[in-house]
Amino acid sequence: MLQVCLNGARSPREHFHLPVRPEELAKAAADSIAAGANDIHLHPKAPDGTDSLDPHLVAATLRAVRAAAPAVPVGVTTGAWTAPDPADRIRAIRAWTVLPDHASVNWHEPGADDVAAVLLERGVGIEAGIFSGTDGDRQFLRSPHRARVLRVLAEVTDLTARGAATTAEALLERLRPAATPILLHGEAAGAWPVLTVAARRGLATRIGLEDTLLLPDGQVAADNAELVTAATRILSKEAP
């Protein structure tokens, strides 16, 4: 499975084609699916580009993206930066009128189990975000919800091309007891080396402007679809 991560917690100033508005996210999603992605992760955003869990913004975004990419699973973030108090995140999730197919919950953040509980209560699948360099793996393995998540979203936070693959292998070893499907991905200069590790191991992975702005050759990507096209080439070449 190749997920496209359309925007992340980035500002539109970081890339000229970073999608922010629902119609921009819809086009980016459709183009990325046409390029070879088969799952979508996005951050609903306020008009100023900040991430939001506001029910109206989430509903407008999901409706637009699903109209442009029907029958494709769509997930959103519930990262602590959207609302630092877990109670505020929970209130927002309870107020959602249109539900995503899945949502990421970062297990190193305060309130992860409580946020996960309300998502499960509402029938939303959970991507358990486990970041390298945190205690997220230990927190997750102790969680009462660990057997109920859709998958683990294993995020390698080593931003170096040289070290990211090694960090990825170490993170996978720490997650071995989880017995849950894993989506492995990296960031910045580490994005492409980690995607290659995922391809060789036959794991799900992701790519998009959230994780990197650059193609494997170091050129700035035109958009998400160009990143997905490059990823599909690597996956077809490296797959076991």
Side-chain angles (χ1 to χ4, degrees), residues 74-76 78 96 99-105 107 115-116 118-128 148-151:
V74 184
V76 302
T78 65
W96 285 350
L99 297 176
D101 297 284
H102 50 77
S104 59
V105 178
W107 242 267
V115 171
V118 73
L119 288 167
L120 290 168
E121 177 185 301
R122 299 218 63 193
V124 177
I126 294 171
E127 292 186 312
R148 302 179 64 194
V149 304
L150 177 66
R151 56 181 159 256

Side-chain angles (χ1 to χ4, degrees), residues 86-233:
D88 291 336
R89 278 176 275 150
I90 287 169
R91 276 192 289 271
I93 293 166
R94 288 194 187 281
W96 285 350
T97 56
V98 178
L99 297 176
D101 297 284
H102 50 77
S104 59
V105 178
N106 299 325
W107 242 267
H108 65 282
E109 295 176 347
D113 278 323
D114 295 333
V115 171
V118 73
L119 288 167
L120 290 168
E121 177 185 301
R122 299 218 63 193
V124 177
I126 294 171
E127 292 186 312
I130 311 298
F131 287 40
S132 66
T134 73
D135 67 348
D137 59 310
R138 293 191 295 275
Q139 297 284 355
F140 176 68
L141 292 172
R142 291 196 294 263
S143 171
H145 308 305
R146 65 187 180 277
R148 302 179 64 194
V149 304
L150 177 66
R151 56 181 159 256
V152 166
L153 191 65
E155 180 158 339
V156 177
T157 58
D158 185 331
L159 306 183
T160 67
R162 178 171 295 184
T166 300
T167 303
E169 296 287 359
L171 179 59
L172 291 173
E173 185 62 28
R174 289 169 64 183
L175 289 169
R176 187 183 297 274
T180 303
I182 291 176
L183 185 158
L184 177 68
H185 73 103
E187 303 174 7
W192 295 108
V194 174
L195 186 139
T196 300
V197 171
R200 290 173 179 168
R201 282 177 162 258
L203 298 174
T205 190
R206 79 178 199 184
I207 202 68
L209 292 175
E210 173 171 355
D211 287 347
T212 183
L213 305 179
L214 303 180
L215 295 165
D217 64 4
Q219 297 296 309
V220 176
D223 53 20
N224 282 288
E226 190 171 25
L227 290 169
V228 170
T229 298
T232 59
R233 293 195 190 105

Side-chain angles (χ1 to χ4, degrees), residues 38 65-74 101:
N38 46 32
V65 170
R66 284 178 170 147
V72 178
V74 184
D101 297 284

